Amino acid sequence: RENLCFAAIKKMSQIKIEMLAIDFDLTIVDIHTGGKWRDNDGGSIALLAKHIRPEIECLLSQAAKLGIYIAVVTFSKQEELISK
């Protein structure tokens, strides 16, 4: 899986793609937060982070290393939570 991740990001860089826009719910994370994830209700940021898909984590980290801008796309009103 990592080889595919590295190859995909390398190709993006080679063909001069400058930004990766990716959805949050059910894409970056494997759940849908419904815009209601509450840190004070036991739904900690650390718990939410456990739902990050490993292949997406690889894509995002490699894109950042190569200077590709990353935009997280969401309808959620929880921008601060998602940015963490």
Side-chain angles (χ1 to χ4, degrees):
R1 239 188 262 180
E2 271 191 17
N3 288 340
L4 287 174
C5 165
F6 296 137
I9 295 300
K10 183 178 178 184
K11 185 66 174 178
M12 286 176 66
S13 181
Q14 289 172 344
I15 62 174
K16 308 283 190 246
I17 291 176
E18 297 180 9
M19 177 179 278
L20 172 62
I22 189 164
D23 184 51
F24 186 74
D25 286 317
L26 295 173
T27 306
I28 292 177
V29 293
D30 61 5
I31 59 172
H32 197 290
T33 64
K36 298 176 183 169
W37 192 270
R38 300 283 181 249
D39 194 26
N40 59 356
D41 291 338
S44 70
I45 293 169
L47 179 60
L48 181 58
K50 289 180 182 182
H51 288 279
I52 296 172
R53 296 175 193 264
E55 54 275 352
I56 300 299
E57 185 174 10
C58 178
L59 280 173
L60 296 177
S61 66
Q62 292 305 309
K65 284 180 185 176
L66 290 180
I68 296 172
Y69 294 100
I70 299 166
V72 176
V73 182
T74 184
F75 284 111
S76 176
K77 302 286 187 222
Q78 296 183 291
E79 297 95 349
E80 185 177 336
L81 171 76
I82 292 169
S83 70
K84 290 179 181 178

